[in-house]
Amino acid sequence: MKTATKTLIALSLAAAFGGFVATALRELPTPAGAMPPALAVPTSAALPASAGGQPLPSLAPMLQRVMPAVVSVHSQQRVRVSPFGNDPFFRRMFPELSQERIAESLGSGVIVDAAQGLVLTNHHVIQDADDVSVTLADGRTLKAEFIGSDADTDVALMRIPAQNLTAIPMADSSSLQVGDFVVAIGNPFGVGQTVTSGIVSAVGRSNVPGVGFQNFIQTDASINPGNSGGALVDLNGRLVGINTASFNPRGSAAGNIGLGFAIPSNLALGIQRQLLADGTVRRGTLGVDLQNVDARIAAGLGLDEPRGAVITRVQAGSAAEAAGLRTGDVILAANGQRIDNADALRNFQGLQPLGARIDLDVRRDGRPLQVTATLREAPRSGTAFDARLGGATFAELPESLRRQGMSGVLVEQVQRGSRAASNGLRPGDVILATNAGRFSDLGGFRTALQDAPEPLVLRVLRGGRQGDLMMR
């Protein structure tokens, strides 16, 4: 992932996932072997072989097949620590007082292709890491090759150079039902490979605070710090999800409260395919501006209840325009999935691959209508927006930041010597507003600049501070 995007995403994911990866700091001279050895933790309590003359069921045979495919992921990042904290003046005045240290994180991963050595884990487990190593169940430790990651779904893909690997077969996660038994396998707190069990509490969860695009499996199987990136399997030993988070308003110190979340295997597999092909994930969009349907809008549009996403603008050249969608249309469902508000539709789009065909249930002038649209990628090159932005490449804001109330677009790259560079744009800038009109995403940014004024002024967020840049 590009440096600018990684820097911005780190600000949001640190809050969302800070409790889910075991992290420590050590000074550079300390040898790696100085870390305390992992404790041996049993996978299950000892039980009698039978009760009442009947043999007890056991998960042991299935776990013996599956556990070699779950690995421990150890990442390291070199950081500079100053006694003056983040104060830029004193950091420049006394650079000799800063010390370089290594931040270490422990998580889990899942081998999904034994022949190619492919390992899936969470993006937040290896985010910003300089080095990543993987320890197999048989004790081998190998340096991992980073292939790519997607912060908005929290999926990352690595490759390890090893023979005689064991992979977990994939299940169709769309067939999961509430009440199905599942088993979570990972490396919580770095103590060693551990197994917990539970049931599927819910599917299709998309209301977890501060996280990106969501379609989580919720389970009451314990998912503790360090479990991130581990496997959620069914009773046949097939992968149904990648463990990603537990939710507890009081933090991990309060213990497990039965709210664990996993990324469905179907979604993780789709991200894996894109990362293998391009090293990045490309998303399509309808290209519309949306508003929630409240009681007043519902009454005005003849809706039975105040729900759905009403289109307030159709962007030129967009998938929505090609499909015949209009301003005032209300989208109530997408591919049969209920759409209650604008955020729900945005989340749905974010989980679809580029070029996906989606069927929309629309209400137009009080009448039901079926519309099929093919998602398109929003333009990202600065010249597609305005000549004064030439040399810049833009990207959507991370969805986790949007869920915290931020809107705008991210400056992903700026070519040296370009017009955008001479106008003062820098990688990592967030464009919050312009004097050309309001916008919330790439499509809206492009529409707002169609009749851009002279001069064009951008309101930019950089390093936590806002300022205005004039584009000449």
Side-chain angles (χ1 to χ4, degrees):
M1 178 173 291
K2 300 178 178 64
T3 301
T5 307
K6 290 167 58 180
T7 301
L8 179 65
I9 292 171
L11 299 176
S12 63
L13 286 182
F17 291 104
F20 307 134
V21 182
T23 304
L25 278 177
R26 66 178 177 85
E27 296 187 8
L28 275 175
T30 306
M35 295 184 65
L39 301 175
V41 175
T43 60
S44 60
L47 292 172
S50 63
Q54 298 295 322
L56 291 180
S58 174
L59 297 176
M62 179 272 285
L63 292 172
Q64 288 172 2
R65 300 192 311 269
V66 170
M67 290 179 70
V70 181
V71 302
S72 176
V73 178
H74 178 209
S75 64
Q76 295 181 329
Q77 179 190 8
R78 288 174 172 80
V79 296
R80 295 202 67 85
V81 180
S82 170
F84 302 108
N86 293 322
D87 189 297
F89 176 78
F90 287 104
R91 287 174 70 96
R92 287 195 302 267
M93 288 291 293
F94 304 100
E96 68 278 1
L97 297 181
S98 297
Q99 294 181 343
E100 189 175 63
R101 297 187 178 183
I102 289 182
E104 295 183 314
S105 295
L106 292 173
S108 305
V110 182
I111 300 173
V112 292
D113 188 316
Q116 298 187 68
L118 299 180
V119 178
L120 280 176
T121 187
N122 287 145
H123 166 82
H124 76 266
V125 169
I126 61 173
Q127 179 184 343
D128 295 333
D130 297 307
D131 296 291
V132 178
S133 61
V134 168
T135 300
L136 306 181
D138 61 13
R140 287 180 289 172
T141 297
L142 307 157
K143 186 172 182 178
E145 172 197 355
F146 176 75
I147 295 177
S149 68
D150 179 47
D152 278 334
T153 55
D154 199 27
V155 174
L157 183 65
M158 305 178 293
R159 181 183 284 114
I160 53 175
Q163 303 296 320
N164 302 318
L165 296 175
T166 299
I168 295 182
M170 289 276 190
D172 179 5
S173 56
S174 67
S175 64
L176 273 183
Q177 300 181 64
V178 174
D180 285 348
F181 286 97
V182 287
V183 178
I185 311 172
N187 182 34
F189 300 101
V191 299
Q193 201 170 68
T194 305
V195 174
T196 57
S197 64
I199 62 170
V200 174
S201 305
V203 294
R205 283 286 191 234
S206 58
N207 53 358
V208 181
V211 188
F213 295 122
Q214 304 175 17
N215 184 29
F216 288 130
I217 302 164
Q218 182 182 325
T219 176
D220 63 351
S222 296
I223 298 177
N224 295 302
N227 261 130
S228 296
L232 189 72
V233 301
D234 61 19
L235 296 187
N236 294 315
R238 299 175 304 175
L239 187 72
V240 296
I242 302 294
N243 301 325
T244 188
S246 61
F247 180 70
N248 190 334
R250 295 174 57 196
S252 60
N256 174 61
I257 61 172
L259 281 174
F261 298 94
I263 300 162
S265 57
N266 289 5
L267 173 58
L269 182 59
I271 299 296
Q272 173 188 322
R273 288 170 178 158
Q274 290 200 57
L275 293 176
L276 269 179
D278 302 317
T280 188
V281 173
R282 299 168 61 203
R283 291 187 168 85
T285 179
L286 281 171
V288 292
D289 291 354
L290 299 166
Q291 183 177 337
N292 293 338
V293 176
D294 57 21
R296 179 183 57 83
I297 294 175
L301 296 176
L303 299 175
D304 298 331
E305 56 180 332
R307 78 169 185 89
V310 61
I311 297 175
T312 58
R313 179 169 58 181
V314 176
Q315 296 158 12
S318 66
E321 183 182 61
L325 288 170
R326 304 175 187 172
T327 299
D329 286 350
V330 179
I331 299 175
L332 298 174
N335 286 357
Q337 179 178 319
R338 178 184 170 105
I339 299 297
D340 286 332
N341 49 46
D343 285 343
L345 182 58
R346 182 176 182 85
N347 188 74
F348 173 85
Q349 291 180 84
L351 296 171
Q352 311 305 312
L354 181 64
R357 288 172 58 86
I358 59 174
D359 297 320
L360 302 172
D361 295 341
V362 177
R363 188 68 63 87
R364 177 180 294 169
D365 299 327
R367 300 189 304 272
L369 182 67
Q370 297 291 317
V371 175
T372 299
T374 301
L375 298 183
R376 299 180 178 180
E377 187 174 27
R380 301 175 61 206
S381 170
T383 53
F385 297 86
D386 189 281
R388 289 165 284 191
L389 304 176
T393 303
F394 298 93
E396 299 283 12
L397 280 183
E399 187 65 13
S400 54
L401 289 183
R402 292 189 180 280
R403 288 177 180 266
Q404 296 174 34
M406 184 179 289
S407 63
V409 298
L410 172 67
V411 181
E412 193 172 48
Q413 286 182 311
V414 179
Q415 295 177 3
R416 188 174 300 175
S418 66
R419 189 167 176 180
S422 64
N423 279 328
L425 277 181
R426 300 291 181 266
D429 288 349
V430 177
I431 301 177
L432 302 173
T434 76
N435 64 335
R438 299 181 62 183
F439 63 93
S440 61
D441 55 15
L442 276 178
F445 185 45
R446 185 187 184 197
T447 301
L449 294 180
Q450 285 181 343
D451 297 312
E454 179 64 47
L456 172 63
V457 180
L458 308 181
R459 174 65 52 85
V460 172
L461 176 66
R462 179 185 298 168
R465 299 181 180 180
Q466 294 187 26
D468 293 336
L469 286 178
M470 183 174 296
M471 301 291 106
R472 296 180 174 86

